[in-house]
């Protein structure tokens, strides 16, 4: 009896011995850490040990002990992995922590230059791994700490920014990829030049700015206000300039990371779901990207286009500006005169780049600050440093004001900024608000201005309307007379595209983004609207799921897409993606109205298209004669505009990746609208080229580089567009069409005819004889230019639009298209499966890892 007890006890001891011995948090020179041991912090929040993130190398890292999905908060040797299968972490002869590989070579070390003995390394409960003297636990005396050398994760109690005593600038840098903790391209780092702020860098270039700290938060991160679960701190004194956060409930885990695609993400651990939830992320929209509107440009997502120039400035590069690239910024159009200049108040502003600012004083009030700025002719703007209370502190900017954005009043965020303008411009500011709640010399002028402005604004609007109307008539007349030069026409196209401010018709302009806030529907409502997703209501089936017609009592008729493939994103993340996509609004895009995102069901709600898809007309013998040449040409131009918007409107640069006839929907006026854009984002598939393992696309429309190497770019969309154009002209499907005598597909066939000068032969007979020969040939030539094999030979969409609109422009000669020869498939059995899938019409296929 007794004996068996002892045996049991010994058995238990043997079983648990390794674990018992692990319950330590300290390494000493005599007690190193070997490969299958870990350190555990006192309260068991964090664990440190060897790990392999899935790339066959070994690293030393720290992770949450209580979180099942390994979440690494720190990696010691991120850029110096152990490539063998064994290693030891120990205290070296000079008192530093050293990581040794299998052969005993030092791979990584804490590397403090002071040689010391009697040191130990301890993992603390807050996740900090420290080297200290054996008997000295005073944090001020730590010899080295991992919190000074973060990886990609920022934890509570950590400090980001400068330690003036040690000269260390603590910052976080992204992992290369999910499986490689090596130093990635993106970092989040304090910039202490001028007026400190934190900047996301993409390699050596600025990617996004936080805006400076104003006592309440960073001026470029309005979401920081009203956060109730944590507290942020920004310290600037003789010891440090640092940013930190703490959780109000310290037992709730939260971490801020910079991820490998350059976004900051704040995760909070949710106990009930046992998952990390994305609490916040940044950047959130176009205007968050550095220099979106350049110098003196103001970015505002409620405007369309998002960039406007400050009062008294005009775009530096008008052409790029029209194409929605505002990065060249604005130049002064009216002369400043230091003596007579005044100041305009811009409200809710993310402050201009801080490195070009100069902190005058931390206690001065606003009117004193205004005086200083007015007297200094090189001062372009000023504001309070701290906006809490009545405001205090004075910071001024040298003349170049870079990277500003303005928030909607309702969003809050940002702060008042006073900018220098010429006295003459104070009278005519249609762009900026100039209510007066400050004081000082400039404000007198502001007061007068605000009265003048209201009357001027009316006048300006009237003039603009008049001008626009004239322009419209002129352009109509021009096309009638048929004598337009390429330059003029391209400008008109741009106007028609709504790119310029004067014509917002093509956008859902007028209403702002906020008014069109995405609707969140609950599943029940949609179930009812679609009559339980009945077959009668089924409109079609696509690669991402079925589409149903839905009748929302108040919302009218909609199209409901029930996603069948499960996205690998979290619910919040998915909502954010959907929100982003809903912001893409253009006359030639199917509008995303809302969504329903629940754990089991994910649905997207779109506007309903009366005439369904172009597919139904184009390839139907009876219906194809309903679309005559003029309609076809308008459809081609419409698709081109929609695609241009996707490619150019946003820095996200939406690449459609699955452009095809069945994705072109037609409303009751036969206006073409592109559907299914942004799906790659929703499905979390939008990785960098190298990471792409799946190709989403449809045979017949995929460019060679996409189908074969999984490389996608705007140029692969251009390829698909080219196929579309040729299909619309010829009324023939590219896929499945095979000219037996020549072994060519549609592209090859058309190209051959083009070279022989017989291209007109391909025109769809159902068009009849009412068409412009030049227009048809131009479309064929543009189509062929777009499907050229080499991506770099293909024009971009803005070029395509110019070519479409110009009747006199000399177009380049296309070289051979990609994929124009069809191989015989009658020889092998093994290819029969492939053949089968190739004959199913218009089915979206997913090729797993083409390489
Ligand atoms: C703090 O968070 C923990 C873990 O989620 C929870 O159990 C506890 O009740 C919270 N404490 C307070 C005071 O809210
Ligand atoms: C980085 O974060 C953004 C924003 O949450 C997200 O959309 C993106 O997918 C993330 N990238 C990776 C590689 O996780
Ligand atoms: C004027 O402003 C510039 C830039 O903001 C600053 O560098 C300079 O020191 C100021 N000059 C005076 C006399 O304050």
């Amino acid at each position: 009896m007794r004996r068996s007890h002892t045996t049991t006890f010994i058995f238990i001891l043997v079983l648990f011995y390794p674990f018992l011995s692990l319950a330590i948090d300290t390494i000493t020179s005599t007690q190193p850490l070997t490969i299958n041991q870990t350190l555990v912090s006192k309260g068991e929040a964090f664990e440190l040990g060897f790990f392999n993130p899935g790339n066959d190398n070994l690293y030393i890292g720290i992770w949450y002990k209580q979180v099942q999905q390994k979440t690494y908060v720190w990696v010691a040797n991120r850029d110096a992995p152990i490539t063998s299968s064994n290693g030891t972490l120990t205290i070296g002869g000079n008192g530093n922590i050293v990581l040794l590989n299998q052969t005993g070579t030092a791979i990584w070390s804490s590397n403090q230059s002071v040689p010391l003995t009697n040191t130990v390394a301890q993992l603390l409960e807050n996740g900090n791994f420290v080297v200290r003297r054996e008997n000295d636990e005073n944090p001020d005396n730590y010899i080295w700490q991992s919190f000074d050398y973060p990886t990609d994760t920022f934890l509570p109690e950590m400090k980001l920014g400068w330690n003036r005593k040690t000269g260390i600038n603590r910052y976080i840098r992204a992992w290369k990829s999910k499986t490689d903790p090596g130093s990635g391209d993106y970092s989040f780092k304090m910039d202490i030049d001028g007026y400190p702020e934190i900047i996301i860098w993409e390699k050596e270039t600025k990617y996004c700015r936080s805006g400076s700290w104003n006592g309440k938060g960073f001026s470029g991160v309005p979401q920081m206000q009203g956060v109730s679960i944590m507290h942020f701190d920004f310290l600037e004194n003789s010891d440090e300039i640092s940013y930190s956060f703490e959780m109000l409930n310290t037992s709730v885990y939260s971490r801020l990371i910079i991820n490998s695609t350059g976004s900051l993400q704040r995760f909070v651990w949710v106990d009930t779901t046992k998952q990390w939830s994305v609490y916040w992320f940044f950047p959130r929209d176009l205007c968050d990207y550095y220099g979106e509107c350049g110098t003196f440009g103001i970015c505002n997502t409620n405007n369309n286009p998002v960039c406007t120039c400050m009062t008294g400035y005009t775009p530096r590069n008008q052409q790029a500006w029209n194409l929605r690239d505002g990065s060249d910024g604005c130049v002064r159009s009216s002369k400043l005169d230091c003596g007579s200049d005044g100041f305009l108040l811009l409200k809710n502003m993310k402050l201009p780049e801080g490195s070009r600012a100069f902190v005058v004083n931390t206690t001065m009030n606003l009117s004193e600050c205004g005086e200083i700025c007015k007297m200094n002719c090189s001062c372009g703007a000023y504001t309070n440093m701290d906006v809490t209370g009545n405001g205090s502190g004075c910071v001024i900017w040298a003349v170049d004001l870079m990277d500003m954005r303005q928030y909607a009043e309702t969003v809050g965020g940002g702060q008042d900024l006073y900018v220098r303008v010429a006295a003459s411009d104070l009278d005519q500011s249609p762009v900026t608000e100039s209510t007066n709640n400050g004081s000082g010399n400039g404000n007198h002028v502001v007061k007068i201005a605000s009265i003048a402005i209201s009357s001027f604004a009316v006048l300006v609007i009237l003039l603009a309307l008049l001008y626009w109307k004239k322009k419209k008539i002129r352009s109509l007349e021009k096309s009638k007379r048929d004598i337009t030069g390429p330059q003029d026409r391209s400008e008109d196209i741009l106007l028609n595209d709504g790119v310029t401010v004067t014509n917002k018709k093509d956008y859902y302009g007028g209403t702002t983004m906020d008014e069109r806030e995405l609707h969140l529907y609950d599943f029940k409502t949609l179930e009812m609207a679609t009559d339980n997703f009945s077959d009668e209501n089924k409109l079609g089936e696509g690669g991402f799921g079925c589409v149903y017609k839905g009748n929302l009592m108040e919302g009218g008729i909609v199209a409901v897409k029930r996603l069948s493939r499960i996205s690998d994103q979290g619910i919040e993340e998915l909502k954010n993606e959907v929100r982003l996509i809903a912001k893409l609004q253009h006359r030639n895009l199917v509008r995303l109205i809302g969504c329903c995102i629940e754990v089991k069901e994910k649905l997207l709600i779109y506007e309903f298209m009366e005439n369904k898809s172009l597919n139904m007309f184009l390839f139907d013998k009876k219906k194809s004669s309903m679309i005559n040449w003029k309609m076809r040409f308008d459809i081609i131009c419409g698709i081109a505009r929609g695609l241009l918007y996707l490619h150019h409107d946003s820095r996200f640069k939406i690449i459609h990746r699955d452009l095809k006839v069945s994705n072109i929907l037609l409303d009751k006026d036969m206006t073409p609208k592109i559907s299914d854009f942004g799906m790659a984002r929703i499905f979390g598939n939008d990785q960098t080229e190298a990471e792409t393992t799946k190709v989403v696309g449809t045979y017949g429309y995929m460019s060679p580089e996409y189908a074969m190497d999984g490389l996608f770019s705007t140029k692969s969309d251009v390829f698909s567009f080219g196929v579309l154009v040729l299909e619309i002209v010829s009324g023939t499907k590219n896929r499945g069409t095979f000219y037996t005598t020549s072994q060519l597909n549609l592209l090859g066939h058309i190209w051959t005819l083009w070279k022989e000068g017989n291209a007109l032969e391909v025109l769809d007979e159902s068009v009849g004889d009412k068409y412009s020969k030049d227009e048809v040939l131009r479309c064929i030539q543009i189509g062929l230019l777009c499907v050229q094999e080499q991506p770099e030979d293909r024009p971009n969409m803005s070029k395509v639009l110019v070519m479409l609109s110009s009747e006199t422009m000399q177009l380049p000669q296309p070289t051979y298209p990609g994929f124009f020869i069809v191989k015989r498939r009658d020889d092998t059995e093994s290819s029969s499966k492939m053949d089968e899938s190739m004959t199913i019409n218009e089915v979206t296929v997913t090729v797993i890892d083409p390489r």
Side-chain angles (χ1 to χ4, degrees):
M1 209 48 202
R2 215 189 140 71
R3 195 190 150 92
S4 102
H5 260 130
T6 321
T7 323
T8 315
F9 179 70
I10 288 174
F11 179 71
I12 289 174
L13 197 68
V14 168
L15 199 68
F16 286 99
Y17 179 73
F19 299 98
L20 291 177
S21 75
L22 297 185
I24 52 167
D25 65 356
T26 308
I27 300 175
T28 65
S29 54
T30 54
Q31 200 177 20
L33 188 77
T34 58
I35 184 112
N36 43 23
Q37 294 175 316
T38 59
L39 297 184
V40 175
S41 65
K42 276 218 171 65
E44 305 211 326
F46 289 98
E47 187 167 21
L48 177 148
F50 289 87
F51 75 98
N52 164 4
N55 66 0
D56 293 336
N57 291 332
L58 273 183
Y59 299 86
I60 284 286
I62 298 176
W63 57 88
Y64 291 90
K65 168 99 175 132
Q66 309 299 336
V67 171
Q68 205 146 52
Q69 69 193 97
K70 279 272 176 77
T71 309
Y72 303 102
V73 298
W74 184 71
V75 180
N77 53 323
R78 66 186 310 181
D79 290 315
I82 300 183
T83 49
S84 54
S85 60
N86 208 345
T88 315
L89 189 67
T90 186
I91 302 286
N94 56 4
N96 280 299
I97 331 172
V98 206
L99 177 62
L100 306 173
N101 70 4
Q102 200 158 16
T103 58
T105 314
I107 292 282
W108 172 87
S109 161
S110 56
N111 231 354
Q112 293 303 294
S113 53
V114 207
L116 284 160
T117 49
N118 290 337
T119 57
V120 297
Q122 184 180 14
L123 177 63
L124 304 180
E125 182 61 6
N126 59 7
N128 197 2
F129 187 45
V130 304
V131 177
R132 57 173 177 84
R133 285 175 195 84
E134 203 168 354
N135 301 315
D136 185 354
E137 297 200 13
N138 182 349
D140 290 337
N141 297 337
Y142 290 156
I143 293 150
W144 178 92
Q145 52 180 332
S146 64
F147 274 15
D148 280 344
Y149 305 93
T151 308
D152 67 338
T153 308
F154 187 48
L155 293 171
E157 296 185 41
M158 246 183 192
K159 287 185 168 180
L160 196 84
W162 285 86
N163 181 333
R164 287 192 156 126
K165 287 189 283 188
T166 59
I168 296 178
N169 189 12
R170 295 152 293 194
Y171 68 97
I172 54 179
R173 181 181 282 279
W175 283 31
K176 275 207 175 91
S177 71
K178 275 205 172 76
T179 55
D180 186 352
S183 296
D185 288 344
Y186 295 94
S187 55
F188 184 57
K189 197 171 186 175
M190 178 88 70
D191 185 357
I192 54 163
D193 287 345
Y195 193 16
E197 61 183 329
I198 316 185
I199 291 174
I200 301 179
W201 294 82
E202 180 185 19
K203 293 187 182 143
E204 305 300 317
T205 48
K206 290 180 181 169
Y207 185 61
C208 301
R209 291 185 314 124
S210 67
S212 302
W213 184 266
N214 62 18
K216 279 201 216 158
F218 293 105
S219 72
V221 191
Q223 300 85 7
M224 281 175 95
Q225 291 161 25
V227 170
S228 56
I229 62 168
M230 59 192 92
H231 170 80
F232 306 100
D233 209 6
F234 192 87
L235 261 183
E236 178 163 12
N237 57 35
S238 57
D239 290 345
E240 61 188 324
I241 305 179
S242 72
Y243 164 64
S244 59
F245 73 96
E246 62 186 4
M247 300 304 289
L248 298 185
N249 178 347
T250 49
S251 48
V252 173
Y253 295 153
S254 175
R255 63 199 168 92
L256 177 76
I257 72 157
I258 173 131
N259 75 18
S260 54
T261 46
S263 286
L264 292 176
Q265 289 178 302
R266 175 177 293 286
F267 290 95
V268 173
W269 178 255
V270 183
D271 245 356
T272 47
T273 59
K274 299 266 173 265
Q275 270 184 338
W276 290 107
S277 117
V278 180
Y279 189 80
W280 171 84
F281 65 92
F282 181 86
R284 305 181 83 85
D285 60 35
L286 207 53
C287 292
D288 281 335
Y289 293 96
Y290 178 76
E292 184 62 28
C293 302
T295 44
F296 304 112
I298 299 174
C299 197
N300 185 337
T301 54
N302 287 329
N303 294 342
N304 213 333
V306 292
C307 294
T308 41
C309 286
M310 256 172 60
T311 306
Y313 293 79
T314 50
R316 186 187 297 275
N317 178 346
Q318 186 70 48
Q319 201 173 8
W321 193 269
N322 289 346
L323 287 172
R324 333 196 115 236
D325 176 357
S327 57
D328 286 329
C330 309
V331 286
R332 190 179 298 288
S333 54
S334 47
K335 258 204 149 70
L336 286 181
D337 166 58
C338 193
S340 70
D341 293 339
F343 287 89
L344 261 189
L345 166 59
L346 304 179
K347 287 180 94 61
N348 300 101
M349 295 294 289
K350 171 179 181 174
L351 299 179
E353 187 172 15
S355 61
R356 305 179 190 210
F358 175 71
V359 174
V360 177
N361 177 311
T362 57
T363 52
M364 216 173 245
N365 70 26
L366 196 59
S367 56
E368 291 166 330
C369 191
E371 290 296 322
I372 297 264
C373 189
K374 182 146 178 59
M375 284 176 340
N376 183 342
C377 295
S378 61
C379 172
Y382 69 92
T383 188
N384 266 145
M385 288 180 70
D386 189 329
V387 298
T388 54
N390 289 328
S392 60
C394 176
V395 54
I396 63 175
W397 273 263
V399 178
D400 277 5
L401 304 178
M402 177 63 173
D403 193 37
M404 290 179 279
R405 78 174 286 180
Q406 187 161 35
Y407 295 100
E409 197 79 42
T410 49
V411 174
Q415 66 186 77
D416 291 354
L417 177 72
Y418 294 83
V419 294
R420 180 186 289 267
V421 294
S424 57
D425 286 326
L426 277 171
D427 305 339
Q428 38 182 292
S429 160
V431 176
T432 42
E433 294 178 63
S434 44
T435 45
N436 178 15
N437 60 0
S439 46
N441 217 349
N443 286 301
H444 180 61
V445 193
V446 171
K447 227 173 215 165
I448 300 169
S450 63
I451 301 166
I453 282 162
S454 38
S455 43
F456 256 95
V458 174
L459 200 73
V460 166
I461 290 168
L462 278 176
L463 281 174
L465 272 174
L466 213 69
Y467 172 77
W468 175 68
K469 205 150 191 181
K470 249 191 176 154
K471 185 115 192 169
K472 193 85 182 186
I473 292 167
R474 209 179 58 200
S475 82
L476 269 175
E477 277 171 1
K478 260 185 196 165
S479 48
K480 268 188 210 142
R481 274 180 283 139
D482 217 24
I483 51 157
T484 32
Q487 228 26 56
D488 285 343
R489 278 305 294 273
S490 76
E491 192 192 334
D492 284 344
I493 277 279
L494 292 174
L495 271 171
N496 289 337
D497 196 33
V499 174
T500 53
V501 193
T502 44
N503 181 3
K504 287 196 166 185
K505 231 179 77 191
D506 281 2
Y507 295 87
Y508 296 92
T511 44
T512 65
M513 230 62 95
D514 287 327
E515 286 159 346
R516 295 195 162 268
E517 184 62 36
L518 191 71
H519 286 286
L520 297 176
Y521 294 94
D522 64 44
F523 187 62
K524 275 263 159 357
T525 312
L526 298 173
E527 228 173 1
M528 275 159 58
T530 57
D531 195 12
N532 263 329
F533 301 101
S534 68
D535 278 347
E536 282 110 75
N537 280 323
K538 197 160 167 179
L539 294 171
E541 195 162 350
F544 300 98
C546 293
V547 186
Y548 300 86
K549 183 174 177 176
N551 191 348
L552 294 168
M553 294 310 161
E554 282 162 43
I557 309 285
V558 292
V560 179
K561 178 178 292 221
R562 190 178 192 182
L563 303 180
S564 55
R565 283 171 45 195
I566 302 303
S567 155
D568 45 17
Q569 301 202 54
I571 287 187
E572 271 314 305
E573 253 179 308
L574 193 58
K575 272 187 197 157
N576 287 327
E577 285 302 342
V578 172
R579 223 165 258 145
L580 268 176
I581 287 160
K583 287 195 176 169
L584 298 173
Q585 296 183 2
H586 185 274
R587 176 175 150 84
N588 297 113
L589 298 183
V590 176
R591 192 156 70 84
L592 180 60
I593 302 169
C595 65
C596 161
I597 296 174
E598 292 174 4
V599 177
K600 288 225 182 79
E601 290 284 352
K602 299 183 171 61
L603 303 102
L604 301 176
I605 292 84
Y606 292 94
E607 61 179 325
F608 180 74
M609 290 292 127
E610 287 79 357
N611 276 315
K612 305 204 171 140
S613 91
L614 178 58
N615 206 21
M616 309 249 182
F617 288 90
L618 202 55
F619 304 137
D620 182 312
K621 282 268 168 311
K622 287 190 204 121
K623 285 189 177 168
S624 60
S625 56
M626 287 165 65
I627 38 176
N628 61 25
W629 175 252
K630 183 179 177 306
M631 287 162 89
R632 291 185 194 217
F633 186 67
D634 286 346
I635 287 171
I636 290 172
C637 292
I639 300 169
R641 286 191 202 115
L643 199 55
L644 173 69
Y645 176 84
L646 287 179
H647 287 179
H648 274 275
D649 185 60
S650 77
R651 277 286 253 292
F652 301 121
K653 202 185 267 178
I654 299 286
I655 299 173
H656 191 295
R657 300 214 258 175
D658 197 12
L659 198 64
K660 54 185 173 185
V661 172
S662 58
N663 272 339
I664 306 300
L665 306 187
L666 300 165
D667 71 2
K668 59 180 192 309
D669 305 321
M670 296 297 276
T671 308
K673 296 185 184 233
I674 301 174
S675 76
D676 261 5
F677 53 89
M679 293 310 270
R681 284 192 69 92
I682 289 186
F683 280 92
N685 226 338
D686 216 356
Q687 296 142 339
T688 61
E689 290 173 358
E691 280 177 340
T692 309
T693 51
K694 285 180 186 166
V695 174
V696 178
T698 302
Y699 279 129
Y701 294 94
M702 274 192 262
S703 62
E705 74 278 8
Y706 184 16
M708 300 200 293
D709 301 320
L711 298 177
F712 59 85
S713 67
T714 50
K715 291 296 182 73
S716 31
D717 274 356
V718 169
F719 185 95
S720 310
F721 173 78
V723 175
L724 256 173
V725 170
L726 296 175
E727 288 182 331
I728 294 173
V729 173
S730 66
T732 311
K733 279 181 200 170
N734 180 38
R735 181 157 153 242
T737 303
F738 176 40
Y739 298 83
T740 12
T741 44
S742 54
Q743 299 215 358
L744 295 171
N745 64 6
L746 181 69
L747 305 188
H749 178 67
I750 297 182
W751 188 57
T752 312
L753 289 176
W754 173 265
K755 278 192 308 180
E756 296 164 1
N758 298 327
L760 217 49
E761 277 179 32
V762 306
L763 181 65
D764 190 352
E765 285 169 2
S766 30
V767 162
D769 47 15
K770 270 198 179 156
Y771 58 85
S772 142
K773 203 174 127 190
D774 283 347
E775 240 170 39
V776 173
L777 287 174
R778 191 142 38 87
C779 283
I780 294 174
Q781 189 168 2
I782 291 168
L784 287 171
L785 285 169
C786 291
V787 298
Q788 294 177 96
E789 175 153 35
Q790 299 301 328
E792 58 274 17
D793 292 342
R794 298 173 208 149
N796 60 21
M797 286 315 295
S798 52
K799 196 77 182 287
V800 167
L801 263 173
V802 172
M803 296 194 294
L804 274 172
S805 61
S806 151
E807 280 156 30
T808 50
M809 185 179 176
Q810 199 70 35
L811 306 190
Q813 283 304 317
T815 61
Y816 61 91
F819 281 152
F820 64 99
I821 293 180
V822 181
K823 287 207 185 77
R824 260 184 219 282
R825 292 184 181 276
D826 52 4
D827 43 7
T828 51
E829 264 187 19
S830 60
S831 73
S832 67
K833 221 176 178 155
M834 188 68 169
D835 272 342
E836 206 174 47
S837 74
M838 296 286 282
T839 53
I840 304 168
N841 283 338
E842 301 305 337
V843 172
T844 301
V845 289
T846 299
V847 182
I848 310 285
D849 199 357
R851 277 153 298 164

